[in-house]
Amino acid sequence: MTPLEVFTPDINPLGAQWLSALVGLVPIVTMMVTLAVLRWKAHWAGLFSTAVAIVIAVVAFRMPFGLAVNSGVEGFFFGLFPIIWIVIAAIWFYQITVVSGRFNDLRDTFNLISDDPRVQAILIAFCFGGLLEALAGFGAPVAITGVMLMAIGFPAFRAAMVVLLANTAPVAFGAVAIPIITAGNLTGIDYREIGAYVGHQTPILAFFVPFLLLLLADGIRGLKEVWPVAMAIGAGFAVTQWISATYISVELTDVIASLVGLGVGVLVLKVWQPKGGHAALERMRAEVAASGAADITGAHDEHSRDRGPLTPRHIAMALLPYVLVIIIFSVAKLVPPVTKALTSTDVKFGWPGLYGNVLNSAGEPVSSTMFNFNWLSNPGTLLAITAILVALIYRVSARDTWGELRNTVVKMRWSILTVGSVLALAYVLNLSGQTIAVGTWIAGTGAAFAFLSPTLGWIGTAITGSDTSANALFAKLQQTAGAAAGLDQTLLVAANTSGGVVGKMISPQNLAIACSAVGIVGQESALLRKVVWWSLGMLAALCLLIGLQSTPILSWMLP
């Protein structure tokens, strides 16, 4: 190893922090402009932005060219595993339920609760999606609930918007609270304390999300006709998230909140049903017909049971795959001996050419240059195991089972390239020092930083598609900035997590997953232009809330 091959990121290589930050923002701006303005395909936007990031890393941040390229290579492989593997497994899992014909039974089961597609959007995208986020995360809820909404009649583009918006409130506590646990590990603050703070921020957002879903699903008309259901489910989810995060279990917060939200919705719908559901469905079908897309609401009937009465056995079999998901993930994540056995198979290794060559300010290898090939404990593998079990129970032939896996990989080929390129971009930005340069500049605003702190989490999650990654990027910075400005450090670390919640819906990774799942690959730019305003609006609300929580005005809200 020669001295030239060793690199320590400089957060201010250009002598003025504002200038270093603005230059560091160029790749991020490039990604957004190529997607939203120039309307490039997401994979081309990702690859081009990565190339821009490498050039800036070498020229402005003085990173050796070989290390810059290798950073992108590691990021690309991290995009393939675990992220893409999780999404492929999630879609494969869903497709097995489709070819078995049992998915129609699940659709009919939701119809027993309500046949109104707007109500089903809340139950499926918000409640059921929240449960999937709690257990798996990493895009699986978007992939599964997106195709479920299409199956009940939603146009593909509208389904993608709904699931992206719904996949906000549960993100902070997703994958058994991994984002919050990561922040705790990096800052030394008890993760349960961070979780309690987050539990006094995101529930405010969660309460309003079902109302926003109605607006997306059917406009003002849908909001006027269905708001009591939205209020009941939103309140049930939010209050339970608040209580669980503060007093019960940070890890199980979203599991409990999602189930309570679903239960409250069922109870309300037993005594009151909204009007206009049939008309809403007809409007959706007309939109599908006008778009020229296939109406899949009756698809796969060739695999279905004889469409007779929906019996308790049919309901149980339809729900079985998701019960298995809950059981398998709960055992894998929450039973210590099982968790230890699974993680003992993880293969951890320093990424060749990076580990030991990219050092932090303490002269130690940067942690992200250590690659974890968690082939068995990975959520994707757990989903794949569940998919195989479901195929056996449903008696799906081996030909159909493996054929669906092959078809899923082929369908996702461009999404695979997109996610890989986006993670390549994130790794170049992180390891070269561009991300931390931007964060340091924003943190220099002093006491006003409390109002801006969620923006860092929003940026980090928008780039990487992961609230966990956003905390890995900025949690320590939030803590340091809080100490320097005399602000509550836990509040700022929690703000990073909460800000990431609303950044996930605009991340190119999630956009690609949503488009791939509902069959509109190539329309990521159009989808971004639609959802970015929702994301910015929710970010502004969070900034105001958290900023006021740092003052006597709302400090009483904090635990």
Side-chain angles (χ1 to χ4, degrees):
M1 182 186 301
T2 68
L4 291 177
E5 293 175 319
V6 177
F7 173 72
T8 299
D10 185 352
I11 64 173
N12 185 19
L14 301 180
Q17 192 63 60
W18 66 269
L19 181 59
S20 298
L22 289 180
V23 172
L25 276 171
V26 170
I28 302 171
V29 174
T30 299
M31 185 75 184
M32 296 305 176
V33 169
T34 51
L35 270 177
V37 180
L38 301 181
R39 304 186 183 185
W40 288 14
K41 303 293 187 184
H43 53 278
W44 291 122
L47 291 172
F48 181 72
S49 300
T50 301
V52 171
I54 290 173
V55 170
I56 291 176
V58 174
V59 175
F61 285 75
R62 305 184 184 93
M63 188 180 200
F65 177 76
L67 294 182
V69 172
N70 201 6
S71 298
V73 172
E74 184 191 3
F76 190 90
F77 274 91
F78 181 77
L80 298 182
F81 190 95
I83 294 172
I84 279 294
W85 169 229
I86 294 171
V87 178
I88 287 174
I91 296 177
W92 181 39
F93 165 82
Y94 161 76
Q95 285 300 129
I96 288 174
T97 70
V98 170
V99 299
S100 71
R102 296 289 182 178
F103 183 81
N104 290 309
D105 292 344
L106 180 64
R107 189 178 68 203
D108 291 346
T109 301
F110 276 106
N111 281 335
L112 287 179
I113 302 173
S114 174
D115 59 1
D116 190 318
R118 301 162 301 181
V119 173
Q120 291 183 358
I122 300 176
L123 296 177
I124 293 172
F126 185 69
C127 297
F128 184 58
L131 185 61
L132 292 174
E133 180 67 35
L135 297 171
F138 294 99
V142 170
I144 292 175
T145 60
V147 289
M148 289 179 71
L149 289 189
M150 283 189 66
I152 64 173
F154 272 75
F157 200 89
R158 193 179 297 272
M161 292 176 62
V162 167
V163 297
L164 285 172
L165 180 57
N167 188 225
T168 52
V171 165
F173 298 94
V176 201
I178 285 297
I180 292 170
I181 293 171
T182 299
N185 289 340
L186 290 171
T187 60
I189 302 171
D190 189 335
Y191 76 89
R192 287 164 292 195
E193 181 181 344
I194 299 172
Y197 271 66
V198 175
H200 287 66
Q201 296 166 353
T202 57
I204 309 299
L205 178 70
F207 174 74
F208 290 101
V209 167
F211 295 97
L212 301 180
L213 295 181
L214 291 179
L215 285 172
L216 279 181
D218 197 31
I220 296 296
R221 184 183 313 181
L223 184 61
K224 287 181 178 179
E225 294 177 345
V226 192
W227 69 266
V229 177
M231 184 172 68
I233 293 176
F237 186 99
V239 170
T240 309
Q241 194 180 55
W242 183 301
I243 293 172
S244 180
T246 309
Y247 302 111
I248 303 176
S249 168
V250 172
E251 293 91 338
L252 292 179
T253 290
D254 275 349
V255 174
I256 299 170
S258 297
L259 292 175
V260 169
L262 182 60
V264 169
V266 170
L267 291 176
V268 170
L269 290 164
K270 280 185 175 295
V271 298
W272 180 85
Q273 287 282 342
K275 297 179 180 179
H278 180 72
L281 182 58
E282 289 303 315
R283 288 192 293 274
M284 290 178 185
R285 285 176 172 168
E287 187 176 335
V288 171
S291 69
D295 186 344
I296 69 167
T297 56
H300 306 292
D301 280 344
E302 68 273 17
H303 301 289
S304 306
R305 62 175 174 86
D306 182 21
R307 307 299 290 175
L310 188 65
T311 66
R313 181 179 180 276
H314 291 134
I315 294 173
M317 290 296 286
L319 294 175
L320 177 65
Y322 307 99
V323 173
L324 283 177
V325 167
I326 294 170
I327 292 173
I328 289 175
F329 273 87
S330 297
V331 171
K333 300 289 186 180
L334 303 177
V335 178
V338 177
T339 303
K340 184 177 180 180
L342 291 174
T343 55
S344 69
T345 64
D346 293 357
V347 180
K348 298 181 180 180
F349 60 92
W351 190 263
L354 283 182
Y355 187 78
N357 295 67
V358 181
L359 308 177
N360 60 25
S361 58
E364 302 168 339
V366 174
S367 60
S368 59
T369 59
M370 176 67 72
F371 195 89
N372 182 15
F373 184 65
N374 53 340
W375 63 276
L376 185 56
S377 62
N378 179 270
T381 303
L382 298 178
L383 278 170
I385 292 171
T386 310
I388 293 171
L389 288 175
V390 170
L392 292 173
I393 294 170
Y394 281 175
R395 299 182 181 179
V396 178
S397 69
R399 179 180 178 181
D400 283 344
T401 299
W402 301 113
E404 287 301 329
L405 177 59
R406 181 183 63 252
N407 293 339
T408 298
V409 173
V410 172
K411 185 176 74 170
M412 288 195 62
R413 61 191 182 279
W414 295 117
S415 297
I416 291 171
L417 183 58
T418 297
V419 173
S421 65
V422 169
L423 267 296
L425 169 64
Y427 267 65
V428 174
L429 292 175
N430 298 346
L431 294 179
S432 67
Q434 295 177 65
T435 301
I436 198 70
V438 175
T440 302
W441 176 52
I442 296 176
T445 55
F449 178 61
F451 288 88
L452 298 175
S453 57
T455 306
L456 290 181
W458 181 80
I459 291 172
T461 306
I463 295 171
T464 66
S466 165
D467 203 9
T468 302
S469 298
N471 278 345
L473 291 175
F474 294 130
K476 188 66 179 178
L477 173 63
Q478 297 271 16
Q479 183 185 32
T480 303
L487 297 169
D488 185 336
Q489 298 174 35
T490 305
L491 173 64
L492 298 190
V493 174
N496 198 79
T497 305
S498 298
V501 161
V502 295
K504 190 166 185 177
M505 66 189 297
I506 63 166
S507 71
Q509 170 189 314
N510 247 28
L511 291 169
I513 290 168
C515 288
S516 177
V518 302
I520 53 171
V521 174
Q523 296 190 43
E524 293 87 357
S525 298
L527 187 58
L528 171 63
R529 290 194 300 275
K530 289 288 188 181
V531 300
V532 67
W533 303 110
W534 297 91
S535 179
L536 288 170
M538 289 189 287
L539 174 64
L542 273 176
C543 287
L544 180 61
L545 171 67
I546 292 166
L548 292 177
Q549 285 182 336
S550 71
T551 72
I553 297 175
L554 290 183
S555 60
W556 56 268
M557 289 181 62
L558 299 176

